[in-house]
Structure formats: structure tokens, C-alpha cells
Amino acid sequence: MEPASTHRRAARAAAVLISLFLVLLALVAVHWGPLEGADRDIDVALHRSAVEHHGWTRANRVLTDWVWDPWTMRALLAVAVGWLLWRREVRPALWVAVTAAAGTALQQLVKAAVGRERPRWSNPVDSAHYAAFPSGHALSATVAFGLLLWLLTLHGAPAKWLRPAVAVAAVSLLGVGFTRLYLGVHWPSDVLGGWLLGAALVCGAVASYGYVQGRGSDRETSRDGTTRS
């Protein structure tokens, strides 16, 4: 079982992350000049490279369309949910499924509410649908890898498994963000927004799971007639 303080730390992290996301959301909504200028400068430089280096552009399209695609991330989580149900671990399976669904619903809701336009190019190297903010690829990858890392720690995975898993997650999150910018379908702040909102969802899931588990342990202790911790 997780330490009692884990869900409290996760709750504080979720509060910080959602606060940062809301600040970023406000800056995007009011079209804050410095943010839009930085977004444009980064995208222009990367788009220039994408137009000139066709092989590298094709590699990025494969990564974004197949490896780090939101449907690939959902498939990973579906496998995890199936594994948990096979082990009769219904509660964590429910937490993973609900968090993944909430991530999809939230990013579509925010996209529709903000209605931010994607970058436009006279010579595009890729295309994407729906509004830009936040990046669905970045959010989906953050939720998927965050939940998978949580499941590993929940099941007491040894450090020799956790270290490479953290490395894969970090490379994937940075990689998915880079591909979306390099292909010119997102602004940098879209990717940042996806990371922040996705991480807030994962931390919220961990916090709520720990709280529910703690309450369940308290009830079991109370029924045994012993003093609650």
C-alpha cells in the first residue's frame, strides 16, 4: 500500500499544475503578445528545417502518427486495464480508465472553448484537425505514461524496472512535443498546455486513489476494533 502522505503530495502537485495550466490558458485566451511571439519564432525556425530535411520530416511523421499517437496511448492503457481486471484489481483499473476518458473529454472541451487556430504555412509538411490548444498528443502521452509509471510503483516495481521506464516516459514526452512542433501543427504553448493538464490529471488520480484507499483502510481498522492511525 502507498504511504499515507503520497496522496497528499499528489494533491498538492495537482493543485500547482492546474494553477499553471489556468495561467497559461488565460494568456492564450487573451492573445498575450510575448507568448505568441515566442511561439511564432520557435515554430518558424522548426518549420524551415522540416521543409529542408525531408527524411527527418518523414521520421517525425511516423513517430507522431504511430508511436506517440493518442490512439496508441489509449491502446497501451487499455492493455493495462485488461491486465488489472485479469488480476481482479478493479479499483485501479477503474481509476486508469476514468482518468484516460477524462483526459480525452477535457482536452476536447478546452479545444472547443478556446478555439485557437493552428499554425498556417504556405508549404505545410503535415496537417491536423480540431483547434490547437492544448495538444491532444502531448496530453494523451502524459496521461498514459504517468498512469503506467504510477501502476509500476503501486505494484512495487524494483528500481531496475522503474529507471528505464522513467527514461522511456521522459523521452516519449519530449519526443511527442518536438514532433508536433517540428511538423508545424502546434504552437509550443499548446504542447506545454497538454503536458500541464495531463500531469494534473495523473496527480489528481493518484491523490484520489490514495485518499479512497486510506478511507477504506480506516474502515477496516475500525471494524477490527483497533485504534485508527
Side-chain angles (χ1 to χ4, degrees):
M1 184 178 294
E2 295 175 298
S5 61
T6 299
H7 72 272
R8 289 193 288 270
R9 291 197 299 268
R12 288 193 291 268
V16 171
L17 288 164
I18 200 64
S19 297
L20 292 173
F21 174 77
L22 290 174
V23 170
L24 180 62
L25 173 63
L27 295 178
V28 168
V30 300
H31 304 284
W32 192 50
L35 178 64
E36 292 192 338
D39 278 345
R40 191 178 305 108
D41 289 344
I42 293 171
D43 266 13
V44 167
L46 289 174
H47 182 68
R48 187 180 299 118
S49 175
V51 170
E52 295 174 354
H53 301 91
H54 301 291
W56 185 232
T57 300
R58 283 194 295 271
N60 275 269
R61 291 190 66 171
V62 169
L63 289 170
T64 199
D65 290 342
W66 295 99
V67 179
W68 295 317
D69 180 73
W71 284 106
T72 304
M73 298 297 102
R74 292 169 192 141
L76 283 175
L77 291 180
V79 170
V81 169
W83 177 75
L84 290 167
L85 291 176
W86 177 72
R87 289 171 54 92
R88 298 183 180 179
E89 298 181 34
V90 177
R91 184 174 289 171
L94 178 64
W95 249 253
V96 171
V98 169
T99 305
T104 300
L106 263 179
Q107 58 113 345
Q108 291 298 335
L109 179 64
V110 176
K111 280 178 181 289
V114 177
R116 190 185 202 187
E117 290 190 1
R118 294 179 184 269
R120 293 183 179 181
W121 311 102
S122 59
N123 51 351
V125 298
D126 200 358
S127 62
H129 305 291
Y130 308 113
F133 183 88
S135 166
H137 278 68
L139 186 149
S140 297
T142 303
V143 169
F145 284 104
L147 289 174
L148 291 174
L149 289 174
W150 171 61
L151 289 177
L152 285 174
T153 58
L154 193 64
H155 289 83
K160 66 179 181 179
W161 290 6
L162 279 175
R163 280 194 290 266
V166 170
V168 169
V171 169
S172 296
L173 295 187
L174 292 174
V176 71
F178 178 80
T179 61
R180 304 311 283 164
L181 301 182
Y182 192 81
L183 295 172
V185 293
H186 272 297
W187 306 106
S189 52
D190 300 335
V191 172
L192 178 58
W195 285 336
L196 289 172
L197 185 55
L201 280 168
V202 172
C203 289
V206 173
S208 59
Y209 184 87
Y211 176 77
V212 170
Q213 285 288 89
R215 290 293 297 270
S217 298
D218 284 348
R219 285 195 295 269
E220 290 177 5
T221 301
S222 179
R223 283 197 296 269
D224 290 342
T226 56
T227 303
R228 295 186 184 185
S229 58

